[in-house]
């Protein structure tokens, strides 16, 4: 059991983390750092705490029952799960549009070729990964390698950063300003929409289900969030260091400005590599999870899952080639997905009371209470941000 679960918990954690660490992740972090400066550290810390509780709750519940969130939703209230599945798939589609925009930017920065061609090249690679033999193993391998690459690139920024670390720590605990919209956007970009379900789905596909795997599931969920949070905090420090020097950040490509200011002449290429790696791994996660949510609508989605994955990717590619400003779209993607998380979390928490499904489910009452508090706060943030 340990050998099997040990491999799969890291695969699930990396799938979740690299799904979150997309071009939207990079753009959001850069934009909000410029806006909030040292105060943004507190937003990151708060989002990590909320993300861990929400994700552990969802993953533990789904893997214990071996039921998808939409299945639990339909048991709770007929049609509710189907609505959630449609919202998740739509959210994944919006994210994928932004992901392909980022992929085009990345290849353009690395090879100086048109964004549109870079998008087509990335889509071709994704098609190969999904249609090749042993596709799941290849997907896991690509995600793992690119995830480590992104961590290395951003870690290097820490050694070049020049910030007041005492002030950084202080403001990360007690800020002068707290911004609600940036918080809901970060949470939406980390565990909102399809993202928090990606790793749970990967675990269930691998047979990591039932109470006997509870510790492994908690470990996997926590690793995914911590990896994502650390990488975001490192990027925040690197970006803050550049912003404090007074260097102007290009509103059309904010993260590129940071990389070029940090690394000099090679910064453009490194930015291209970073955002392309972030984009293609997020495309894989969004496509994998969105198709998994659609399978319950009709057996054809399971029988022809690779075909529908192709269609899903093609719609995303055509949409970004025809519509949208990439930066605005990337921010919007994280924002709207923040509204999906409260619904999914509510379904999970209410379903725990169903003893026909969750007899013997050992989840601390205190954590359930904390999850309910988080649910109310997230719902309040979501409503507040509309005005």
């Amino acid at each position: 059991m340990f050998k099997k679960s040990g491999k799969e918990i890291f695969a699930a954690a990396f799938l979740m983390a690299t799904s979150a660490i997309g071009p939207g992740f990079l753009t959001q972090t850069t934009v909000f750092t410029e806006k909030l400066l040292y105060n943004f550290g507190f937003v990151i810390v708060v989002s990590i705490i909320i993300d861990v509780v929400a994700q552990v709750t969802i993953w533990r519940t789904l893997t214990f029952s071996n039921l998808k969130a939409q299945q639990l939703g339909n048991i709770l209230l007929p049609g509710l799960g189907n609505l959630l599945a449609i919202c998740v798939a739509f959210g994944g589609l919006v994210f994928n549009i932004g992901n392909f925009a980022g992929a085009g930017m990345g290849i353009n920065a690395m090879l100086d070729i048109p964004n549109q061609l870079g998008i087509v090249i990335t889509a071709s690679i994704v098609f190969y990964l999904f249609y090749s033999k042993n596709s799941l193993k290849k997907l896991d391998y690509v995600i793992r390698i690119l995830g480590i690459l992104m961590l290395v690139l951003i870690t290097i920024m820490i050694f070049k950063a020049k910030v007041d670390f005492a002030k950084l720590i202080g403001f990360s605990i007690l800020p002068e300003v707290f911004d609600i919209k940036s918080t809901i956007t970060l949470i939406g970009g980390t565990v909102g929409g399809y993202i928090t379900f990606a790793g749970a789905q990967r675990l269930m596909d691998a047979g990591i289900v039932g109470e006997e795997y509870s510790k492994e599931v908690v470990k996997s969920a926590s690793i995914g969030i911590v990896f994502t949070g650390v990488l975001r905090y490192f990027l925040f420090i690197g970006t803050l260091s550049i912003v404090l020097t007074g260097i102007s950040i290009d509103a059309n490509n904010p993260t590129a400005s940071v990389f070029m200011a940090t690394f000099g002449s090679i910064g453009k290429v490194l930015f291209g590599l970073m955002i392309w790696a972030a984009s293609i791994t997020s495309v894989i996660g969004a496509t994998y999870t969105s198709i998994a949510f659609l399978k319950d609508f009709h057996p054809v989605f399971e029988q022809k899952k690779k075909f529908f994955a192709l269609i899903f990717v093609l719609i995303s590619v055509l949409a970004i080639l025809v519509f949208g400003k990439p930066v605005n779209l990337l921010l919007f993607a994280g924002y709207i997905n923040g509204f999906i998380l409260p619904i999914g979390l509510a379904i999970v928490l209410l379903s725990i009371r169903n003893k026909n499904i969750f007899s013997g489910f050992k989840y601390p009452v205190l954590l359930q209470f904390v999850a309910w508090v988080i649910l109310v706060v997230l719902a309040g943030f979501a409503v507040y941000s509309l005005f």
Side-chain angles (χ1 to χ4, degrees):
M1 183 180 77
F2 177 77
K3 183 177 180 180
K4 174 186 176 183
S5 62
K7 178 181 178 181
E8 299 299 343
I9 62 173
F10 285 104
F14 267 97
L15 177 63
M16 173 266 142
T18 54
S19 293
I21 304 167
F25 173 99
L26 302 177
T27 304
Q28 292 159 10
T29 304
T30 306
V31 169
F32 290 132
T33 299
E34 184 180 23
K35 176 183 178 182
L36 299 173
L37 300 177
Y38 282 98
N39 296 291
F40 188 51
F42 179 75
V43 174
I44 296 174
V45 172
V46 168
S47 69
I48 290 174
I49 295 171
I50 292 174
D51 293 343
V52 167
V53 175
Q55 180 150 294
V56 167
T57 303
I58 291 172
W59 286 28
R60 281 278 287 109
T61 305
L62 298 184
T63 56
F64 175 88
S65 65
N66 197 20
L67 294 172
K68 300 172 186 174
Q70 69 266 37
Q71 292 173 316
L72 289 177
N74 284 332
I75 293 171
L76 188 65
L77 179 66
L80 177 60
N82 292 337
L83 176 62
L84 175 65
I86 292 171
C87 290
V88 169
F90 175 74
L93 181 65
V94 173
F95 253 114
N96 251 5
I97 294 169
N99 292 335
F100 276 113
M105 292 180 195
I107 292 184
N108 172 267
M110 284 189 291
L111 305 175
D112 199 27
I113 62 177
N115 284 21
Q116 292 84 349
L117 181 56
I119 291 170
V120 173
I121 291 172
T122 304
S124 300
I125 295 172
V126 173
F127 292 157
Y128 166 74
L129 290 173
F130 272 97
Y131 271 85
S132 60
K133 292 181 179 179
N134 299 317
S135 58
L136 191 57
K137 289 184 178 180
K138 290 182 180 178
L139 291 173
D140 285 344
Y141 180 76
V142 169
I143 286 171
R144 191 179 308 120
I145 295 300
L146 293 180
I148 293 172
L149 171 65
M150 289 187 283
L151 179 61
V152 169
L153 286 175
I154 292 184
T155 300
I156 293 173
M157 297 179 72
I158 298 297
F159 294 100
K160 296 175 129 329
K162 295 179 180 179
V163 298
D164 184 337
F165 283 95
K167 185 176 181 180
L168 180 73
I169 295 172
F171 273 60
S172 295
I173 298 172
L174 187 65
E176 290 183 342
V177 176
F178 176 61
D179 187 78
I180 291 179
K181 189 169 184 178
S182 65
T183 305
I184 191 71
T185 302
L186 252 64
I187 295 169
T190 305
V191 294
Y194 75 92
I195 297 173
T196 194
F197 300 108
Q201 183 63 47
R202 180 66 182 82
L203 290 173
M204 288 191 287
D205 287 345
I208 309 298
V209 296
E211 185 65 27
E212 65 268 28
Y213 285 109
S214 61
K215 291 183 179 179
E216 286 82 355
V217 171
V218 171
K219 182 177 180 180
S220 182
S222 301
I223 288 172
I225 294 297
V226 170
F227 181 87
T228 306
V230 168
L231 199 145
R232 191 190 292 276
Y233 201 85
F234 283 4
L235 178 59
F236 155 61
I237 294 173
T239 302
L240 180 63
S241 177
I242 298 303
V243 171
L244 292 176
T245 65
I247 295 176
S248 178
I249 301 294
D250 182 1
N252 293 317
N253 206 341
T255 309
S257 300
V258 172
F259 269 75
M260 287 187 284
T262 301
F263 296 105
S265 58
I266 199 176
K268 182 179 179 181
V269 174
L270 292 178
F271 159 75
L273 181 59
M274 177 70 194
I275 197 168
W276 182 80
S279 299
I280 191 170
T281 52
S282 293
V283 166
I284 292 169
T287 304
Y288 175 83
T289 310
S290 296
I291 297 303
F293 263 79
L294 295 175
K295 288 178 184 178
D296 291 334
F297 281 100
H298 194 280
V300 70
F301 284 102
E302 172 63 30
Q303 297 163 3
K304 303 288 185 180
K305 57 186 176 184
K306 291 186 177 182
F307 171 75
F308 285 104
L310 169 64
I311 296 300
F312 191 82
V313 169
L314 281 176
I315 292 174
S316 305
V317 170
L318 290 175
I320 191 57
L321 290 177
V322 176
F323 305 107
K325 295 180 179 180
V327 171
N328 292 335
L329 192 58
L330 297 176
L331 292 172
F332 180 66
Y335 182 57
I336 66 166
N337 275 278
F339 288 85
I340 296 175
L341 179 60
I343 299 173
L345 188 55
I347 289 173
V348 163
L349 290 171
L350 290 172
S351 296
I352 292 175
R353 300 184 178 186
N354 188 335
K355 297 305 178 183
N356 292 327
I357 300 173
F358 290 97
S359 177
F361 183 57
K362 301 174 182 177
Y363 197 67
V365 174
L366 178 60
L367 287 182
Q368 290 186 48
F369 173 76
V370 173
W372 274 111
V373 172
I374 289 172
L375 169 61
V376 172
V377 171
L378 289 177
F381 282 179
V383 172
Y384 177 86
S385 63
L386 288 174
F387 302 98

